[in-house]
């Protein structure tokens, strides 16, 4: 597990203006970059197995994969923020395509906490909200497990209190 | 009520019962399609090894024996709190459906089942791929009675014991139940007999009766009956709308799948006539698929009848496979009125809906993929708007629609004019499409979640797109290319409107 203090500007759970919560964006960005490792390694292995021009191409592809996505991943991780409001949870994110999601507490059916291997190693996790609609894409990545669990319990209690029939 | 129909009183459902013996045959025919191909392979491969005939005899005999065994080991009964179905030859399975979990009880009659006068009950439990029970097959009347009984029990669980019959009299506990049940059963049966006979079988072809009822009788029908009354016993159930056979055929003739089918058929025939056998090989499978699809479309919604009964709508349709379905109004999540280009001259519309709690993607027949979503296969768009408005409790024509801003033409030059939305105190309405026009209606209380999405190009133009999410189904409510400030304001206000509406429905 990586020490969170070692990462400058990792603003997990900081209360920003207007009641917005931010997420641990530095670690979130690292987790995103870590997800590039498997395809990157495959490309490097391919480069090793091939010779001549093909080797160059594969190596270039591996380098490009990291070069192109390194910076945007960091930037987009910074855009995640959420706000607990009276009746609903508001999630806001997106660098190129901006997305805002409003999930009423009374519509939440269940709340998941998931963490992939990279996220676990970095000590973060993702909170997922489910409604009766399959199109609801509401998740908050880059939460610390303790605060994610607190948030989940809070949301579950709010959902219980406001649960409305379909 | 005659003695014979009294013979099965409510209490009798509590004893374990088997389905009708003929259901072995019905199931066998249903399975035959899958079995036949396997059998052919088995016979052919068996022939290669010698003894193909033996396989050809053994497999059907084995399958028949299994069918009989499966039937003998399947039983159902009504427990105090739930409906229970025990089945399985090797692996015993006992499934139970609590009455408070039953969303709907549908009656499904496949063509084969109709030959034997049987019907299949389907219990919708909401959610998931395994969210429904199939109870194959009972005598048609028995199935209708069990359905009425189950609906009655479900209603009792939902609303508490019936107040109207209990008032004043301190009778035994089962008394009001059974009278409710009998009334429900009687009305169910009466209705079933009215609709069920096959076309031509009773001397009263469906087409004729449909033509007689060619008009939507909207004004005559009171919107709601007193609550607490089960779905069945509403005295005179005048259909809201019966789709005339002629109009239905014409609407199909003006639809793309049928044209594709006709073209595919023509191409196949032409290829055959020209003796181009290679081409034929390419055409025939597609033709079979397309013609099958068109035929399915035709037979599925033939004789479509929409009845408003208390707080629920009843749908009955089907030419060979007949289907009856009751959908409580409160379970309808969103509705779409679509007007395809080819139907516009005739002024027709199709109405589809999202229904909560229907298991999707599982099972043969109506409640499978599309069945539970059709509200009207074709109707005059005026009637469609009026009916949808009545179901939602609003006047749709009075909802003001706002077009997308002028600058949206830089993002959607052609289609900008088609995008409109509006709302009143009860619903949000979105319209899209210039050629094929779709109007979606979603009540505030039914909105699951809201998304606001702004792509890079939209950001340059200060535009945003809002989606109002509903449960799974064909209806998607999307407000495209709105001014971003307006969208942001709408998002705020809509979440408040939805919250208020939810509280009002909960109270």
């Amino acid at each position: 597990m990586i020490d969170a203090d070692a990462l400058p500007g990792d603003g997990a759970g900081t209360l920003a203006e207007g009641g917005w919560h931010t997420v641990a964006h530095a670690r979130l960005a690292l987790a995103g970059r870590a997800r590039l490792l498997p395809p990157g390694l495959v490309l490097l292995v391919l480069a090793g197995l091939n010779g001549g021009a093909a080797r160059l191409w594969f190596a270039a592809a591996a380098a490009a994969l990291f070069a192109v996505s390194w910076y945007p991943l960091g930037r987009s991780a910074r855009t995640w923020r959420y706000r607990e409001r009276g009746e609903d949870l508001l999630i806001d994110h997106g660098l190129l395509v901006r997305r805002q999601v409003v999930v009423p507490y009374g519509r939440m059916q269940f709340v998941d906490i998931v963490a992939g291997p990279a996220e676990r190693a970095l000590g973060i996790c993702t909170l997922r909200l489910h409604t009766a609609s399959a199109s609801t894409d509401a998740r908050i990545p880059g939460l610390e497990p303790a605060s994610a669990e607190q948030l989940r319990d809070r949301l579950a209690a709010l959902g219980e209190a406001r649960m409305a029939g379909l | 009520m005659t003695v014979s129909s009294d013979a099965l009183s409510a209490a009798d459902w509590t004893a374990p019962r088997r389905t009708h013996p003929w259901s072995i045959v019905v199931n066998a025919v249903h399975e035959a399609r899958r079995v036949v191909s396997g059998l052919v392979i088995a016979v052919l491969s068996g022939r290669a090894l010698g003894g193909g005939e033996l396989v050809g005899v053994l497999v059907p005999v084995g399958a028949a024996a299994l069918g009989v065994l499966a039937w003998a080991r399947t039983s159902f009964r009504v427990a105090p709190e739930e409906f229970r179905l025990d089945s399985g030859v090797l692996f015993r399975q006992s499934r139970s459906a609590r009455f408070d979990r039953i969303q709907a009880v549908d009656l499904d009659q496949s063509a084969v089942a109709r030959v034997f006068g049987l019907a299949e009950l389907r219990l919708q439990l909401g959610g998931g791929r395994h969210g429904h029970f199939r109870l194959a097959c009972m005598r048609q009347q028995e199935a209708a009675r069990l359905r009425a009984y189950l609906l009655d029990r479900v209603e009792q669980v939902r609303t508490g014991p019936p107040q109207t019959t209990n008032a004043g009299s301190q009778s035994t506990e089962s008394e009001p139940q059974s009278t409710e049940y009998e009334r429900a059963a009687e009305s169910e049966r009466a209705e079933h007999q009215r609709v069920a006979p096959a076309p031509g079988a009773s001397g009263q072809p469906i087409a004729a009766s449909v033509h007689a009822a060619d008009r939507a009788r909207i004004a005559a029908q009171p919107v709601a009956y007193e609550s607490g009354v089960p779905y069945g016993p509403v005295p005179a159930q005048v259909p809201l709308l019966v789709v005339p056979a002629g109009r239905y055929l014409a609407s199909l003739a003006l639809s793309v799948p049928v044209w594709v089918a006709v073209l595919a058929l023509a191409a196949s025939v032409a290829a055959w006539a020209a003796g181009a056998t290679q081409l034929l090989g390419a055409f025939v499978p597609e033709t079979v698929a397309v013609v099958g699809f068109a035929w399915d479309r035709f037979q599925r919604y033939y004789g479509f009848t929409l009845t408003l009964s208390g707080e629920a709508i009843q749908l009955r349709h089907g030419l060979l496979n007949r289907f009856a379905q009751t959908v409580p109004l409160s379970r309808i999540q969103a509705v779409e009125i679509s007007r395809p280009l080819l139907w516009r001259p005739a002024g027709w519309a199709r109405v589809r809906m999202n229904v909560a709690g229907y298991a999707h993607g599982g099972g043969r027949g109506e409640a499978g993929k599309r069945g539970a979503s059709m509200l009207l296969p074709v109707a005059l768009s005026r009637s469609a708007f009026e009916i949808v408005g009545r179901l939602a409790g609003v006047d749709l024509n009075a909802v003001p629609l706002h077009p997308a801003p002028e600058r949206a033409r830089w993002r959607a030059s052609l289609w900008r004019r088609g995008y409109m939305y509006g709302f009143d105190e009860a619903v949000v309405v979105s319209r899209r499409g210039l050629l094929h026009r779709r109007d979606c209606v979603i009540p505030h209380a039914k909105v699951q979640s809201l998304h606001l999405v702004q792509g890079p190009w939209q950001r340059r133009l200060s535009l945003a797109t809002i989606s109002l999410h509903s449960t799974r189904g064909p209806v998607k409510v999307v407000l495209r290319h709105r001014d971003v400030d307006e969208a942001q304001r709408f998002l705020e206000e809509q979440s408040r409107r939805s919250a208020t509406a939810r509280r009002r429905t909960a109270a």
Side-chain angles (χ1 to χ4, degrees):
Chain A
M1 181 153 162
I2 293 175
D3 186 11
D5 298 330
L7 296 161
D10 186 4
T14 329
L15 220 61
E17 54 178 304
W20 286 103
H21 295 269
T22 52
V23 303
H25 55 79
R27 279 179 280 168
L28 177 59
L30 271 183
R33 287 162 191 155
R35 233 165 273 142
L36 297 175
L37 282 176
L41 279 177
V42 168
L43 285 172
L44 285 178
V45 167
L46 282 172
L49 292 176
N50 284 285
R55 166 173 292 182
L56 275 182
W57 279 115
F58 279 119
L65 183 69
F66 282 94
V68 168
S69 52
W70 192 267
Y71 180 67
L73 277 172
R75 278 292 301 278
S76 76
R78 263 171 208 278
T79 63
W80 282 95
R81 53 183 193 160
Y82 65 95
R83 205 168 107 188
E84 294 166 65
R85 308 196 296 182
E87 291 288 344
D88 45 43
L89 183 77
L90 180 60
I91 306 169
D92 184 7
H93 72 102
L95 188 64
L96 202 60
V97 178
R98 219 187 129 196
R99 292 168 201 276
Q100 270 183 36
V101 188
V102 179
V103 187
Y105 300 131
R107 285 283 175 234
M108 281 176 203
Q109 292 204 319
F110 54 98
V111 183
D112 281 346
I113 295 178
V114 290
E119 284 181 307
R120 268 207 304 278
L122 292 164
I124 53 172
C125 57
T126 300
L127 191 87
R128 254 183 233 283
L129 305 158
H130 297 266
T131 68
S133 166
S135 353
T136 303
D137 174 29
R139 61 200 176 92
I140 311 175
L143 291 173
E144 276 168 350
S147 65
E149 264 162 46
Q150 276 171 22
L151 181 58
R152 178 187 61 189
D153 294 345
R154 216 154 51 230
L155 291 176
L158 285 166
E160 193 101 337
R162 289 178 177 74
M163 190 65 207
L166 278 173
Chain B
M1 194 168 280
T2 58
V3 181
S4 63
S5 62
D6 247 344
L8 284 169
S9 77
D12 281 358
W13 299 115
T14 56
R17 291 161 58 88
R18 287 212 184 98
T19 55
H20 198 277
W22 282 123
S23 66
I24 302 168
V25 181
V26 174
N27 278 337
V29 176
H30 285 160
E31 296 294 325
R33 215 182 301 169
R34 229 185 305 166
V35 173
V36 161
S37 56
L39 192 61
V40 168
I41 293 168
V43 169
L44 290 181
S45 58
R47 180 162 293 158
L49 300 169
E53 288 75 13
L54 193 65
V55 175
V57 172
L58 274 183
V59 170
V61 167
L66 262 180
V68 172
L69 257 177
W71 170 78
R73 300 279 278 163
T74 302
S75 69
F76 64 92
R77 66 196 174 90
V78 177
E81 296 286 318
E82 62 199 14
F83 180 83
R84 189 167 295 171
L85 178 66
D86 295 314
S87 62
V89 178
L90 273 181
F91 300 92
R92 294 290 290 166
Q93 188 186 29
S94 178
R95 299 189 69 186
S96 62
R98 291 175 54 86
F99 289 131
D100 55 359
R101 292 271 292 130
I102 296 177
Q103 310 287 2
V105 184
D106 299 334
L107 203 59
D108 190 6
Q109 268 191 297
S110 69
V112 192
R114 279 176 73 191
V115 171
F116 294 98
L118 302 180
E120 178 182 310
L121 268 194
R122 193 172 284 151
L123 274 59
Q124 298 290 344
L125 302 178
R129 269 168 68 78
H130 303 287
H132 66 274
F133 269 39
R134 284 178 46 200
L135 190 54
C137 282
M138 281 179 284
R139 281 209 318 280
Q140 193 175 299
Q141 298 201 358
E142 204 183 346
R145 274 205 299 274
L146 181 56
R147 170 166 183 258
Y149 175 66
L150 287 174
L151 284 177
D152 189 23
R153 292 295 302 270
V154 170
E155 187 65 21
Q156 275 176 31
V157 169
R158 214 166 269 167
T159 59
Q163 306 288 307
T164 43
T165 41
N166 260 345
S169 69
Q170 277 299 73
S171 50
T172 57
E173 239 178 79
S174 66
E175 180 84 54
Q177 254 185 33
S178 73
T179 54
E180 283 284 335
Y181 150 72
E182 277 160 14
R183 278 201 289 141
E186 192 163 29
S187 132
E188 272 291 329
R189 190 164 48 250
E191 230 184 301
H192 199 73
Q193 279 165 347
R194 188 157 57 79
V195 187
S202 61
Q204 163 78 334
I206 280 197
S209 67
V210 159
H211 274 302
D214 194 350
R215 231 163 290 118
R217 276 165 274 179
I218 297 167
Q221 189 86 350
V223 172
Y225 297 89
E226 57 178 313
S227 56
V229 178
Y231 308 136
V234 174
Q237 288 185 332
V238 185
L240 264 184
L241 195 94
V242 179
V243 176
R247 182 193 292 166
Y248 181 57
L249 284 173
S251 78
L252 280 180
L254 290 172
S255 72
V256 176
V258 172
W259 285 22
V260 173
V262 169
L263 281 179
L265 207 58
S268 296
V269 170
W272 177 70
T277 37
Q278 294 101 323
L279 269 181
L280 203 61
F283 279 149
V284 164
E286 279 84 354
T287 308
V288 169
V290 169
V291 170
F293 180 77
W295 163 254
D296 184 57
R297 260 282 187 83
F298 164 71
Q299 82 91 18
R300 184 185 293 256
Y301 298 118
Y302 187 89
F304 199 98
T305 307
L306 170 67
T307 312
L308 185 63
S309 136
E311 288 295 312
I313 52 170
Q314 289 184 0
L315 308 173
R316 286 164 202 282
H317 50 90
L319 179 64
L320 295 179
N321 300 338
R322 290 202 63 84
F323 193 67
Q325 182 191 9
T326 301
V327 181
L329 287 184
S330 60
R331 301 208 74 80
I332 301 178
Q333 303 286 310
V335 179
E336 179 195 80
I337 303 168
S338 74
R339 288 172 281 176
L341 181 64
L342 293 174
W343 290 9
R344 295 270 285 279
W348 291 336
R350 178 191 301 128
V351 185
R352 299 199 293 170
M353 58 186 173
N354 291 356
V355 180
Y358 260 84
H360 285 265
R364 173 189 57 82
E366 301 309 315
K369 262 172 246 144
R370 285 159 298 170
S373 68
M374 186 64 85
L375 187 56
L376 277 175
V378 56
L380 287 175
S381 55
R382 221 173 5 169
S383 316
F385 274 91
E386 209 161 331
I387 287 172
V388 171
R390 282 193 48 176
L391 297 183
V394 291
D395 180 9
L396 286 181
N397 295 315
V399 178
L401 288 177
H402 313 290
E406 178 76 16
R407 61 179 183 282
R409 71 170 182 275
W410 297 108
R411 173 65 182 75
S413 51
L414 273 179
W415 310 120
R416 176 188 69 87
R417 278 167 216 281
Y419 297 131
M420 293 187 205
Y421 90 101
F423 59 88
D424 67 357
E425 60 276 5
V427 294
V428 178
V429 179
S430 82
R431 171 174 294 178
R432 71 174 193 276
L434 286 174
L435 304 177
H436 184 159
R437 194 167 284 174
R438 298 160 202 269
D439 290 78
C440 297
V441 182
I442 184 167
H444 294 321
K446 305 294 187 194
V447 176
Q448 295 291 331
S449 63
L450 296 151
H451 277 207
L452 183 149
V453 180
Q454 199 180 25
W457 192 225
Q458 283 182 310
R459 182 119 39 114
R460 288 291 294 277
L461 297 165
S462 307
L463 297 172
T465 292
I466 292 180
S467 315
L468 286 78
H469 293 149
S470 172
T471 55
R472 202 185 293 187
V475 187
K476 306 257 182 292
V477 189
V478 182
L479 321 178
R480 277 177 221 277
H481 307 315
R482 311 308 309 184
D483 176 77
V484 69
D485 293 329
E486 179 196 347
Q488 204 76 55
R489 206 164 50 240
F490 177 85
L491 199 69
E492 293 301 313
E493 287 170 9
Q494 185 57 40
S495 53
R496 221 169 301 141
R497 274 194 294 271
S498 291
T500 326
R502 272 199 306 277
R503 271 198 296 275
R504 206 179 312 133
T505 9

